Amino acid sequence: MKITLIGSGNVATHLGKNLVDVGHEIIQVFSRNLLKAKRLADEVDAEYINSLDNLSKDAELYIIAVKDDAIGPVAAKLEMLGMQQKLVVHTSGATPMSIFEKFANSMIRVGVFYPLQTFTKSRDLDFNGVPLCIDASSLDDRNLLTDLAYDISSEVYTIDDEQRACLHLAAVFVNNFTNHLYGIAAEILKSEDLDFEMLFPLIQETVDKLYAGTPKEMQTGPAIRNDQATIARHLDHLRENPEWQEIYRILTKNIQQSQ
Amino acid sequence: MKITLIGSGNVATHLGKNLVDVGHEIIQVFSRNLLKAKRLADEVDAEYINSLDNLSKDAELYIIAVKDDAIGPVAAKLEMLGMQQKLVVHTSGATPMSIFEKFANSMIRVGVFYPLQTFTKSRDLDFNGVPLCIDASSLDDRNLLTDLAYDISSEVYTIDDEQRACLHLAAVFVNNFTNHLYGIAAEILKSEDLDFEMLFPLIQETVDKLYAGTPKEMQTGPAIRNDQATIARHLDHLRENPEWQEIYRILTKNIQQSQ
C-alpha cells in the first residue's frame, strides 16, 4: 500500500519503519521541521516535505501522527486540499474519531490506527505483539486497516471511541504513572547511594506475576497487611517530601479500600 | 550448612527450597501451624515442629522468616533457649538489625538476610539475580552470610539498617503501588469489556525502557506535556471514583513538579 506519513515523531517513525519492513511503501513524510522530515524520509526511503500544499494525491492512506491538538487543523487542511476520497487516519489514543467531523466534515473515509504502546525514538521496537486498535467510518475501510495492521502485528482490535478513551486512560496508569513511581524509587535510593538497578528484578517480577493472577490477587505489602508501624516509618522517611508522602498516603488508603 | 527455618511463609518457602537445591541442609522447619510446618518440611526434607521449645541446637544458622511484629518475640524466645552462640538472622526489609538488641540483648551473633523480591507461594522463583542484602554484627558472620548468599544468587550486597529501610520503601513504590495501579487499569478496562492483557506489551515496554535511560528521561504522557484537554477528559472519565481521580490528580501534579 502507498502511504503518506504526516508527522515525524516517535509514532510516525516506528510505524513507518515497521510498515516499510513488511513491504509497504511510504511515499512522503511531512513535518513542519524539514530536517526531521528528511531524517525519517531517509529511513523509509520517501520524499520529504514541510508544507502540506506539496502533499501528493498518490497515496492510498494518509496517517496523521502529530500532536493531539494538531490533528483537527491537519484534517481541515486535507479537506481543503480535496482529499475527501482518501482514507485518512490518526494514531491518537486520546482523540475521538469524531475529530474529523468537527474539523473536516466533508471527509468521508476517516479512521483511527492507534498502537497501544509507548515509543522512544532511540529504541527500536518490533510492532509484532503491540495491540493495534483500529476504527473507521466504513466497514470496507475497517477491513482494509485491519489487514494492514495484521501485516505488522498479531494483536489487532476493532475499538470504538469510548473503548479507546478507556484504553488510553488505563495506559496512563500503567505507563506514565508507574514510570513516575519508578522515578520516585530511584530518587529514594539515590539518597543512600544505592543503585536503582537493584530494584530491576523486583520490578520485573511484579510484571511477571500478572500472568499468575489479577493484580488484586497479587497485592502484597504493608498497606494490604495494614502494618501501621511500617507505614508510619515510611511516612516519616518521606517527611522532607510532602508530595511523595501524599502519594504514599493516598495509594495506601486506596489499596486498603479496594479489599 | 545446617540451617533451621523459623517460619513457613513465602520467604521461608522460597529461601528454603533454593538453599536445599544448592546443597545446604534444612534440619528443622518451625511454624505455629503444624500443617504448614509439615508442608514446607516435606519439601525441603526437614523435621517439622510447632513449638520453639523443640528447636534443635544442631543448626549453624537460624533464619527467622516470620511476620515483622513476631521477629522480636521469636528472638526473645531464642535467647531464653540459650541460643546466644548461634547465628540468628531475620529476612525483613522493614526491620532494623537492632531489633535483636531490643528484644534479646545477650544474643551476639545476629544479622539480616533480606531478599529484595516479592514472593508468591504458587510461583517458583529462582533466586539467581535476586539482590540479597546482608548484614551481621561481626565481620566473620557477614562473610559467612555473604558466602551463603552467593551460593544462591549472583547479586549480594552488604546493606546497613538505613539503606535497607530505603530499599524497602522504594520496593513499596515499584511493587505494591505499581501493582495497585495495574489493578486500577484492569478495573477501568473491565468497564468497557476490554481485556487487561491488552496492556501487557505496554507494561513490559515501560520496564524495558529503564535499561535505556532514567525514569525521568523516559517520562511521557499528558502530564509531562501539560496536555490540559486530555487531563480534563481523563478526570471526567474517573468522576464516579473520587479516589482514583485524586490519585490521577496528585500523580499528574507531581510529574509536572518533577521537571
Side-chain angles (χ1 to χ4, degrees), chain A residues 94 117-118 120 123 131 162 166 168 175-176 179-180 192 198 201-202 204-206 209 215 219-221 233-234 243 246 250 254 258, chain B residues 94 117-118 120 123 131 162 166 168 175-176 179-180 192 198 201-202 204-206 209 215 219-221 233-234 246 250 254 258:
Chain A
Q117 186 52 287
T118 174
T120 319
R123 277 174 61 77
E162 196 56 44
C166 247
H168 187 255
N175 170 257
N176 304 162
N179 185 67
H180 185 62
E192 280 286 333
M198 282 186 77
L202 176 61
Q204 186 58 56
E205 178 67 8
T206 307
K209 280 169 89 163
Q219 192 67 47
T220 59
R233 219 164 25 234
H234 284 169
E243 287 79 22
E246 193 52 28
I250 196 162
N254 197 240
S258 306
Chain B
Q117 186 52 288
T118 175
T120 320
R123 278 175 61 78
E162 196 57 44
C166 247
H168 187 255
N175 170 258
N176 305 160
N179 185 68
H180 185 63
E192 281 286 332
M198 282 186 76
L202 176 61
Q204 186 59 55
E205 178 68 9
T206 306
K209 280 168 89 162
Q219 193 68 47
T220 58
R233 220 164 26 234
H234 284 169
E246 193 52 27
I250 198 163
N254 197 239
S258 305

Short mmCIF file of all heavy atoms in Angstrom, two decimals, chain A residues 94 117-118 120 123 131 162 166 168 175-176 179-180 192 198 201-202 204-206 209 215 219-221 233-234 243 246 250 254 258, chain B residues 94 117-118 120 123 131 162 166 168 175-176 179-180 192 198 201-202 204-206 209 215 219-221 233-234 246 250 254 258:
data_model
loop_
_atom_site.label_atom_id
_atom_site.label_comp_id
_atom_site.label_asym_id
_atom_site.label_seq_id
_atom_site.Cartn_x
_atom_site.Cartn_y
_atom_site.Cartn_z
N ALA A 94 -6.01 9.40 22.60
CA ALA A 94 -6.78 10.37 23.38
C ALA A 94 -7.80 11.13 22.53
O ALA A 94 -8.55 11.94 23.06
CB ALA A 94 -5.83 11.36 24.05
N GLN A 117 1.06 1.46 22.75
CA GLN A 117 2.44 1.23 23.17
C GLN A 117 3.10 2.57 23.44
O GLN A 117 2.60 3.61 23.01
CB GLN A 117 3.19 0.46 22.08
CG GLN A 117 4.60 0.02 22.43
CD GLN A 117 4.71 -0.75 23.73
OE1 GLN A 117 4.59 -0.17 24.80
NE2 GLN A 117 4.92 -2.06 23.65
N THR A 118 4.21 2.54 24.17
CA THR A 118 5.00 3.75 24.40
C THR A 118 6.24 3.69 23.51
O THR A 118 6.90 2.65 23.43
CB THR A 118 5.37 3.90 25.89
OG1 THR A 118 6.25 5.02 26.03
CG2 THR A 118 6.06 2.66 26.45
N THR A 120 9.94 5.29 22.13
CA THR A 120 11.10 6.14 22.36
C THR A 120 11.90 6.11 21.07
O THR A 120 12.12 5.04 20.52
CB THR A 120 11.99 5.54 23.47
OG1 THR A 120 11.15 5.04 24.50
CG2 THR A 120 12.94 6.57 24.03
N ARG A 123 14.93 3.75 20.78
CA ARG A 123 14.78 2.30 20.93
C ARG A 123 14.02 1.72 19.75
O ARG A 123 12.89 2.12 19.49
CB ARG A 123 13.96 1.97 22.19
CG ARG A 123 14.76 1.95 23.47
CD ARG A 123 13.84 1.77 24.65
NE ARG A 123 13.10 0.53 24.61
CZ ARG A 123 13.60 -0.66 24.92
NH1 ARG A 123 14.85 -0.76 25.30
NH2 ARG A 123 12.86 -1.75 24.86
N PRO A 131 -0.66 -4.22 20.56
CA PRO A 131 -2.07 -4.15 20.19
C PRO A 131 -2.32 -2.94 19.28
O PRO A 131 -1.98 -1.81 19.63
CB PRO A 131 -2.79 -3.97 21.54
CG PRO A 131 -1.81 -4.43 22.56
CD PRO A 131 -0.46 -4.11 22.01
N GLU A 162 -15.21 5.18 22.68
CA GLU A 162 -15.37 5.03 24.12
C GLU A 162 -14.33 4.06 24.69
O GLU A 162 -13.68 4.31 25.71
CB GLU A 162 -16.79 4.53 24.40
CG GLU A 162 -17.26 4.66 25.84
CD GLU A 162 -17.18 6.08 26.35
OE1 GLU A 162 -17.57 7.02 25.62
OE2 GLU A 162 -16.69 6.25 27.47
N CYS A 166 -10.94 4.66 27.17
CA CYS A 166 -10.65 3.81 28.32
C CYS A 166 -9.22 3.26 28.28
O CYS A 166 -8.51 3.29 29.28
CB CYS A 166 -11.58 2.59 28.26
SG CYS A 166 -12.77 2.55 29.55
N HIS A 168 -6.70 4.44 26.69
CA HIS A 168 -5.71 5.49 26.84
C HIS A 168 -5.56 5.91 28.30
O HIS A 168 -4.45 6.11 28.79
CB HIS A 168 -6.09 6.70 25.97
CG HIS A 168 -5.05 7.76 25.93
ND1 HIS A 168 -5.16 8.94 26.62
CD2 HIS A 168 -3.84 7.79 25.33
CE1 HIS A 168 -4.07 9.66 26.42
NE2 HIS A 168 -3.25 8.99 25.63
N ASN A 175 1.60 3.10 32.45
CA ASN A 175 2.87 3.58 31.87
C ASN A 175 3.33 4.88 32.54
O ASN A 175 4.28 4.90 33.30
CB ASN A 175 2.74 3.75 30.36
CG ASN A 175 3.95 4.47 29.76
OD1 ASN A 175 3.89 5.64 29.43
ND2 ASN A 175 5.06 3.77 29.68
N ASN A 176 2.62 5.98 32.32
CA ASN A 176 3.08 7.28 32.83
C ASN A 176 3.23 7.26 34.36
O ASN A 176 4.27 7.67 34.90
CB ASN A 176 2.12 8.40 32.48
CG ASN A 176 1.83 8.54 31.00
OD1 ASN A 176 0.85 9.16 30.63
ND2 ASN A 176 2.67 7.98 30.14
N ASN A 179 5.80 4.69 35.64
CA ASN A 179 7.15 5.18 35.38
C ASN A 179 7.54 6.27 36.39
O ASN A 179 8.68 6.34 36.85
CB ASN A 179 7.26 5.73 33.96
CG ASN A 179 8.67 6.14 33.62
OD1 ASN A 179 9.56 5.30 33.51
ND2 ASN A 179 8.89 7.45 33.49
N HIS A 180 6.57 7.10 36.75
CA HIS A 180 6.86 8.14 37.75
C HIS A 180 7.16 7.51 39.11
O HIS A 180 8.06 7.99 39.83
CB HIS A 180 5.69 9.11 37.85
CG HIS A 180 5.97 10.27 38.76
ND1 HIS A 180 6.99 11.18 38.52
CD2 HIS A 180 5.40 10.65 39.93
CE1 HIS A 180 7.02 12.06 39.50
NE2 HIS A 180 6.07 11.77 40.37
N GLU A 192 20.65 7.25 49.55
CA GLU A 192 21.53 6.36 50.33
C GLU A 192 22.61 5.75 49.44
O GLU A 192 23.17 4.69 49.77
CB GLU A 192 20.71 5.25 50.99
CG GLU A 192 20.00 5.67 52.27
CD GLU A 192 20.95 5.82 53.46
OE1 GLU A 192 22.00 5.15 53.48
OE2 GLU A 192 20.63 6.62 54.36
N MET A 198 19.24 -2.20 41.46
CA MET A 198 18.93 -3.23 42.46
C MET A 198 17.44 -3.59 42.44
O MET A 198 17.06 -4.68 42.86
CB MET A 198 19.30 -2.75 43.87
CG MET A 198 20.77 -2.82 44.19
SD MET A 198 21.06 -2.38 45.93
CE MET A 198 20.56 -3.90 46.78
N PRO A 201 15.05 -6.64 39.36
CA PRO A 201 14.39 -7.96 39.48
C PRO A 201 13.00 -7.87 40.12
O PRO A 201 12.07 -8.57 39.71
CB PRO A 201 15.35 -8.76 40.37
CG PRO A 201 16.68 -8.09 40.21
CD PRO A 201 16.37 -6.62 40.03
N LEU A 202 12.86 -7.00 41.09
CA LEU A 202 11.56 -6.82 41.75
C LEU A 202 10.54 -6.22 40.78
O LEU A 202 9.38 -6.65 40.71
CB LEU A 202 11.72 -5.91 42.98
CG LEU A 202 10.43 -5.55 43.72
CD1 LEU A 202 9.74 -6.79 44.26
CD2 LEU A 202 10.74 -4.56 44.85
N GLN A 204 10.56 -6.44 37.53
CA GLN A 204 10.20 -7.45 36.52
C GLN A 204 9.27 -8.50 37.10
O GLN A 204 8.30 -8.91 36.46
CB GLN A 204 11.47 -8.10 35.95
CG GLN A 204 11.19 -9.06 34.80
CD GLN A 204 10.48 -8.36 33.63
OE1 GLN A 204 10.96 -7.38 33.10
NE2 GLN A 204 9.32 -8.88 33.24
N GLU A 205 9.54 -8.93 38.33
CA GLU A 205 8.70 -9.96 38.94
C GLU A 205 7.29 -9.42 39.18
O GLU A 205 6.30 -10.15 39.05
CB GLU A 205 9.33 -10.47 40.25
CG GLU A 205 8.52 -11.52 41.01
CD GLU A 205 8.39 -12.87 40.31
OE1 GLU A 205 9.05 -13.09 39.27
OE2 GLU A 205 7.60 -13.70 40.78
N THR A 206 7.17 -8.13 39.51
CA THR A 206 5.86 -7.51 39.69
C THR A 206 5.04 -7.63 38.40
O THR A 206 3.82 -7.88 38.44
CB THR A 206 6.03 -6.02 40.07
OG1 THR A 206 6.90 -5.93 41.21
CG2 THR A 206 4.70 -5.38 40.41
N LYS A 209 4.19 -11.49 37.64
CA LYS A 209 3.10 -12.05 38.47
C LYS A 209 1.72 -11.81 37.86
O LYS A 209 0.76 -12.49 38.22
CB LYS A 209 3.17 -11.44 39.88
CG LYS A 209 4.22 -12.09 40.75
CD LYS A 209 4.45 -11.32 42.04
CE LYS A 209 3.53 -11.76 43.15
NZ LYS A 209 4.03 -11.28 44.47
N PRO A 215 -4.09 -8.36 39.42
CA PRO A 215 -3.29 -7.50 40.31
C PRO A 215 -3.84 -7.53 41.74
O PRO A 215 -3.07 -7.54 42.69
CB PRO A 215 -3.45 -6.11 39.69
CG PRO A 215 -3.78 -6.36 38.25
CD PRO A 215 -4.53 -7.64 38.20
N GLN A 219 -1.62 -8.46 45.23
CA GLN A 219 -1.23 -7.33 46.09
C GLN A 219 -0.58 -7.82 47.38
O GLN A 219 -1.10 -8.69 48.06
CB GLN A 219 -2.47 -6.49 46.41
CG GLN A 219 -2.16 -5.14 47.03
CD GLN A 219 -1.43 -4.20 46.06
OE1 GLN A 219 -1.84 -4.05 44.93
NE2 GLN A 219 -0.35 -3.60 46.51
N THR A 220 0.58 -7.27 47.69
CA THR A 220 1.27 -7.57 48.96
C THR A 220 1.70 -6.24 49.59
O THR A 220 1.45 -5.18 49.02
CB THR A 220 2.53 -8.43 48.73
OG1 THR A 220 3.41 -7.71 47.85
CG2 THR A 220 2.20 -9.78 48.14
N GLY A 221 2.35 -6.30 50.73
CA GLY A 221 2.95 -5.10 51.31
C GLY A 221 2.24 -4.58 52.53
O GLY A 221 1.21 -5.08 52.94
N ARG A 233 6.63 4.42 59.67
CA ARG A 233 8.07 4.59 59.45
C ARG A 233 8.34 5.10 58.04
O ARG A 233 9.18 5.98 57.83
CB ARG A 233 8.78 3.25 59.68
CG ARG A 233 10.11 3.39 60.39
CD ARG A 233 10.67 2.11 60.97
NE ARG A 233 10.21 0.92 60.31
CZ ARG A 233 9.64 -0.12 60.93
NH1 ARG A 233 9.45 -0.09 62.24
NH2 ARG A 233 9.28 -1.19 60.26
N HIS A 234 7.61 4.56 57.07
CA HIS A 234 7.77 5.02 55.68
C HIS A 234 7.37 6.49 55.53
O HIS A 234 8.07 7.26 54.87
CB HIS A 234 6.94 4.14 54.74
CG HIS A 234 7.54 2.79 54.49
ND1 HIS A 234 6.87 1.77 53.86
CD2 HIS A 234 8.77 2.29 54.78
CE1 HIS A 234 7.66 0.71 53.76
NE2 HIS A 234 8.81 0.99 54.33
N GLU A 243 4.92 15.89 48.94
CA GLU A 243 4.18 15.37 47.78
C GLU A 243 4.29 13.84 47.74
O GLU A 243 3.31 13.14 47.48
CB GLU A 243 4.71 15.95 46.47
CG GLU A 243 4.34 17.41 46.24
CD GLU A 243 5.23 18.35 47.02
OE1 GLU A 243 6.36 17.94 47.40
OE2 GLU A 243 4.81 19.49 47.28
N GLU A 246 2.18 12.36 50.35
CA GLU A 246 0.77 12.37 49.97
C GLU A 246 0.47 11.23 48.98
O GLU A 246 -0.56 10.56 49.10
CB GLU A 246 0.43 13.73 49.33
CG GLU A 246 -1.04 14.01 49.17
CD GLU A 246 -1.85 13.81 50.44
OE1 GLU A 246 -1.28 13.97 51.53
OE2 GLU A 246 -3.04 13.48 50.34
N ILE A 250 -2.18 8.28 49.90
CA ILE A 250 -3.41 8.07 49.13
C ILE A 250 -3.41 6.70 48.45
O ILE A 250 -4.46 6.04 48.37
CB ILE A 250 -3.63 9.22 48.12
CG1 ILE A 250 -5.08 9.21 47.64
CG2 ILE A 250 -2.69 9.16 46.96
CD1 ILE A 250 -5.49 10.50 47.01
N ASN A 254 -6.06 3.75 49.26
CA ASN A 254 -6.86 3.15 48.20
C ASN A 254 -6.66 1.63 48.11
O ASN A 254 -7.59 0.89 47.81
CB ASN A 254 -6.55 3.83 46.85
CG ASN A 254 -7.63 3.56 45.82
OD1 ASN A 254 -7.37 3.00 44.76
ND2 ASN A 254 -8.87 3.90 46.12
N SER A 258 -9.72 -1.06 48.59
CA SER A 258 -10.04 -1.92 47.45
C SER A 258 -10.29 -3.36 47.87
O SER A 258 -10.67 -4.19 47.04
CB SER A 258 -8.91 -1.91 46.43
OG SER A 258 -8.62 -0.58 46.05
N ALA B 94 11.86 -4.35 56.42
CA ALA B 94 11.31 -3.24 57.20
C ALA B 94 11.81 -3.19 58.62
O ALA B 94 11.47 -2.28 59.38
CB ALA B 94 9.78 -3.33 57.19
N GLN B 117 12.83 -8.97 46.89
CA GLN B 117 11.97 -9.56 45.87
C GLN B 117 10.58 -9.77 46.44
O GLN B 117 10.41 -9.76 47.66
CB GLN B 117 12.57 -10.90 45.40
CG GLN B 117 11.87 -11.57 44.23
CD GLN B 117 11.66 -10.68 43.02
OE1 GLN B 117 10.82 -9.77 43.05
NE2 GLN B 117 12.43 -10.88 41.95
N THR B 118 9.60 -9.93 45.56
CA THR B 118 8.24 -10.26 46.01
C THR B 118 7.99 -11.74 45.73
O THR B 118 8.36 -12.25 44.67
CB THR B 118 7.19 -9.38 45.28
OG1 THR B 118 5.89 -9.82 45.65
CG2 THR B 118 7.32 -9.43 43.77
N THR B 120 5.47 -15.19 45.77
CA THR B 120 4.13 -15.77 45.76
C THR B 120 4.32 -17.26 45.91
O THR B 120 5.16 -17.85 45.23
CB THR B 120 3.44 -15.52 44.39
OG1 THR B 120 3.76 -14.21 43.96
CG2 THR B 120 1.95 -15.70 44.48
N ARG B 123 4.25 -19.52 42.79
CA ARG B 123 5.22 -19.34 41.70
C ARG B 123 6.61 -19.74 42.16
O ARG B 123 7.13 -19.19 43.12
CB ARG B 123 5.29 -17.85 41.31
CG ARG B 123 4.21 -17.39 40.36
CD ARG B 123 4.32 -15.89 40.15
NE ARG B 123 5.58 -15.48 39.56
CZ ARG B 123 5.87 -15.59 38.26
NH1 ARG B 123 4.98 -16.09 37.45
NH2 ARG B 123 7.03 -15.21 37.80
N PRO B 131 18.59 -9.64 44.38
CA PRO B 131 19.55 -9.00 45.28
C PRO B 131 19.36 -9.50 46.71
O PRO B 131 18.27 -9.42 47.26
CB PRO B 131 19.19 -7.51 45.17
CG PRO B 131 18.42 -7.37 43.90
CD PRO B 131 17.70 -8.66 43.73
N GLU B 162 19.92 1.63 57.65
CA GLU B 162 19.40 2.83 56.99
C GLU B 162 19.17 2.56 55.50
O GLU B 162 18.13 2.93 54.93
CB GLU B 162 20.43 3.96 57.18
CG GLU B 162 19.89 5.34 56.88
CD GLU B 162 18.67 5.70 57.71
OE1 GLU B 162 18.66 5.42 58.95
OE2 GLU B 162 17.71 6.21 57.12
N CYS B 166 15.56 2.24 53.22
CA CYS B 166 15.41 2.92 51.93
C CYS B 166 14.95 1.95 50.85
O CYS B 166 14.04 2.23 50.08
CB CYS B 166 16.76 3.46 51.49
SG CYS B 166 16.86 5.20 51.46
N HIS B 168 13.50 -0.88 51.20
CA HIS B 168 12.16 -1.40 51.46
C HIS B 168 11.09 -0.38 51.06
O HIS B 168 10.06 -0.73 50.46
CB HIS B 168 12.02 -1.78 52.94
CG HIS B 168 10.74 -2.48 53.25
ND1 HIS B 168 9.70 -1.86 53.91
CD2 HIS B 168 10.31 -3.72 52.94
CE1 HIS B 168 8.70 -2.72 54.01
NE2 HIS B 168 9.04 -3.85 53.44
N ASN B 175 6.73 -1.97 43.64
CA ASN B 175 5.95 -3.21 43.64
C ASN B 175 4.51 -2.98 44.11
O ASN B 175 3.58 -3.05 43.33
CB ASN B 175 6.66 -4.27 44.48
CG ASN B 175 5.79 -5.49 44.72
OD1 ASN B 175 5.21 -5.68 45.78
ND2 ASN B 175 5.64 -6.31 43.70
N ASN B 176 4.31 -2.67 45.38
CA ASN B 176 2.94 -2.56 45.91
C ASN B 176 2.14 -1.50 45.18
O ASN B 176 1.00 -1.75 44.75
CB ASN B 176 2.94 -2.20 47.40
CG ASN B 176 3.74 -3.12 48.29
OD1 ASN B 176 4.10 -2.75 49.38
ND2 ASN B 176 4.03 -4.32 47.83
N ASN B 179 1.70 -2.25 41.40
CA ASN B 179 0.71 -3.32 41.24
C ASN B 179 -0.71 -2.79 41.45
O ASN B 179 -1.64 -3.18 40.75
CB ASN B 179 1.00 -4.45 42.23
CG ASN B 179 0.07 -5.64 42.01
OD1 ASN B 179 0.14 -6.32 40.99
ND2 ASN B 179 -0.84 -5.86 42.94
N HIS B 180 -0.85 -1.87 42.37
CA HIS B 180 -2.18 -1.28 42.59
C HIS B 180 -2.62 -0.45 41.37
O HIS B 180 -3.80 -0.48 40.99
CB HIS B 180 -2.18 -0.43 43.86
CG HIS B 180 -3.55 0.09 44.20
ND1 HIS B 180 -4.60 -0.73 44.50
CD2 HIS B 180 -4.05 1.35 44.25
CE1 HIS B 180 -5.69 -0.01 44.73
NE2 HIS B 180 -5.37 1.26 44.58
N GLU B 192 -15.38 -1.37 30.10
CA GLU B 192 -15.68 -1.36 28.66
C GLU B 192 -15.48 -2.75 28.05
O GLU B 192 -15.28 -2.88 26.83
CB GLU B 192 -14.81 -0.34 27.93
CG GLU B 192 -15.28 1.09 28.04
CD GLU B 192 -16.51 1.39 27.19
OE1 GLU B 192 -16.70 0.74 26.16
OE2 GLU B 192 -17.28 2.29 27.58
N MET B 198 -4.46 -6.72 27.13
CA MET B 198 -4.09 -5.77 26.07
C MET B 198 -2.99 -4.83 26.53
O MET B 198 -2.25 -4.27 25.71
CB MET B 198 -5.30 -4.94 25.65
CG MET B 198 -6.28 -5.66 24.75
SD MET B 198 -7.59 -4.53 24.19
CE MET B 198 -6.71 -3.58 22.93
N PRO B 201 1.91 -5.66 26.73
CA PRO B 201 3.08 -5.17 25.99
C PRO B 201 3.53 -3.78 26.45
O PRO B 201 4.72 -3.50 26.56
CB PRO B 201 2.60 -5.13 24.53
CG PRO B 201 1.47 -6.11 24.47
CD PRO B 201 0.79 -6.02 25.81
N LEU B 202 2.55 -2.92 26.77
CA LEU B 202 2.88 -1.57 27.25
C LEU B 202 3.55 -1.64 28.63
O LEU B 202 4.55 -0.94 28.89
CB LEU B 202 1.60 -0.73 27.33
CG LEU B 202 1.74 0.68 27.90
CD1 LEU B 202 2.69 1.52 27.06
CD2 LEU B 202 0.37 1.36 28.01
N GLN B 204 5.26 -4.11 29.85
CA GLN B 204 6.62 -4.66 29.70
C GLN B 204 7.56 -3.63 29.11
O GLN B 204 8.70 -3.49 29.56
CB GLN B 204 6.59 -5.93 28.84
CG GLN B 204 7.94 -6.63 28.75
CD GLN B 204 8.47 -7.04 30.12
OE1 GLN B 204 7.81 -7.74 30.86
NE2 GLN B 204 9.67 -6.59 30.47
N GLU B 205 7.09 -2.88 28.11
CA GLU B 205 7.97 -1.88 27.48
C GLU B 205 8.31 -0.77 28.48
O GLU B 205 9.43 -0.23 28.45
CB GLU B 205 7.30 -1.31 26.22
CG GLU B 205 8.09 -0.22 25.50
CD GLU B 205 9.38 -0.70 24.84
OE1 GLU B 205 9.62 -1.92 24.77
OE2 GLU B 205 10.16 0.16 24.40
N THR B 206 7.38 -0.43 29.36
CA THR B 206 7.65 0.57 30.39
C THR B 206 8.84 0.13 31.26
O THR B 206 9.68 0.94 31.64
CB THR B 206 6.39 0.77 31.27
OG1 THR B 206 5.28 1.07 30.42
CG2 THR B 206 6.59 1.91 32.26
N LYS B 209 12.22 0.04 29.08
CA LYS B 209 12.81 1.35 28.82
C LYS B 209 13.74 1.80 29.95
O LYS B 209 14.57 2.69 29.73
CB LYS B 209 11.69 2.39 28.64
CG LYS B 209 11.09 2.37 27.25
CD LYS B 209 9.81 3.17 27.16
CE LYS B 209 10.06 4.61 26.81
NZ LYS B 209 8.81 5.27 26.31
N PRO B 215 14.11 6.83 34.70
CA PRO B 215 12.66 7.01 34.58
C PRO B 215 12.30 8.45 34.20
O PRO B 215 11.40 8.68 33.40
CB PRO B 215 12.16 6.66 35.99
CG PRO B 215 13.20 5.80 36.59
CD PRO B 215 14.50 6.21 35.99
N GLN B 219 9.93 9.64 30.88
CA GLN B 219 8.56 10.06 31.16
C GLN B 219 7.87 10.60 29.91
O GLN B 219 8.41 11.45 29.21
CB GLN B 219 8.56 11.12 32.27
CG GLN B 219 7.19 11.41 32.86
CD GLN B 219 6.64 10.23 33.66
OE1 GLN B 219 7.35 9.64 34.46
NE2 GLN B 219 5.40 9.86 33.40
N THR B 220 6.68 10.08 29.62
CA THR B 220 5.85 10.59 28.52
C THR B 220 4.44 10.81 29.04
O THR B 220 4.18 10.57 30.21
CB THR B 220 5.79 9.57 27.35
OG1 THR B 220 5.25 8.35 27.87
CG2 THR B 220 7.14 9.32 26.73
N GLY B 221 3.54 11.25 28.19
CA GLY B 221 2.13 11.31 28.55
C GLY B 221 1.60 12.71 28.75
O GLY B 221 2.34 13.69 28.68
N ARG B 233 -10.31 15.42 30.33
CA ARG B 233 -11.15 14.32 29.86
C ARG B 233 -10.94 13.09 30.74
O ARG B 233 -11.90 12.39 31.09
CB ARG B 233 -10.80 14.00 28.41
CG ARG B 233 -12.01 13.70 27.57
CD ARG B 233 -11.75 13.75 26.07
NE ARG B 233 -10.41 13.50 25.67
CZ ARG B 233 -9.69 14.33 24.90
NH1 ARG B 233 -10.20 15.46 24.46
NH2 ARG B 233 -8.46 14.03 24.56
N HIS B 234 -9.69 12.82 31.11
CA HIS B 234 -9.41 11.67 31.98
C HIS B 234 -10.06 11.84 33.35
O HIS B 234 -10.66 10.91 33.89
CB HIS B 234 -7.90 11.49 32.14
CG HIS B 234 -7.24 10.88 30.93
ND1 HIS B 234 -5.88 10.83 30.76
CD2 HIS B 234 -7.78 10.29 29.83
CE1 HIS B 234 -5.60 10.22 29.60
NE2 HIS B 234 -6.73 9.90 29.03
N GLU B 246 -8.35 11.39 42.58
CA GLU B 246 -7.35 12.02 43.45
C GLU B 246 -5.96 11.46 43.14
O GLU B 246 -4.97 12.21 43.10
CB GLU B 246 -7.73 11.78 44.92
CG GLU B 246 -6.98 12.62 45.92
CD GLU B 246 -6.99 14.11 45.62
OE1 GLU B 246 -7.96 14.59 44.98
OE2 GLU B 246 -6.02 14.79 46.01
N ILE B 250 -2.94 13.83 41.81
CA ILE B 250 -1.71 14.04 42.58
C ILE B 250 -0.48 13.51 41.84
O ILE B 250 0.60 14.11 41.89
CB ILE B 250 -1.84 13.43 44.00
CG1 ILE B 250 -0.78 14.02 44.91
CG2 ILE B 250 -1.78 11.94 43.99
CD1 ILE B 250 -1.09 13.81 46.36
N ASN B 254 2.59 15.82 40.53
CA ASN B 254 3.96 15.51 40.93
C ASN B 254 4.87 15.28 39.71
O ASN B 254 6.06 15.64 39.75
CB ASN B 254 3.98 14.31 41.87
CG ASN B 254 5.29 14.20 42.64
OD1 ASN B 254 6.00 13.20 42.56
ND2 ASN B 254 5.66 15.25 43.38
N SER B 258 8.17 17.62 38.97
CA SER B 258 9.48 16.95 38.96
C SER B 258 10.36 17.39 37.81
O SER B 258 11.52 16.98 37.73
CB SER B 258 9.28 15.43 38.88
OG SER B 258 8.44 14.98 39.91
#
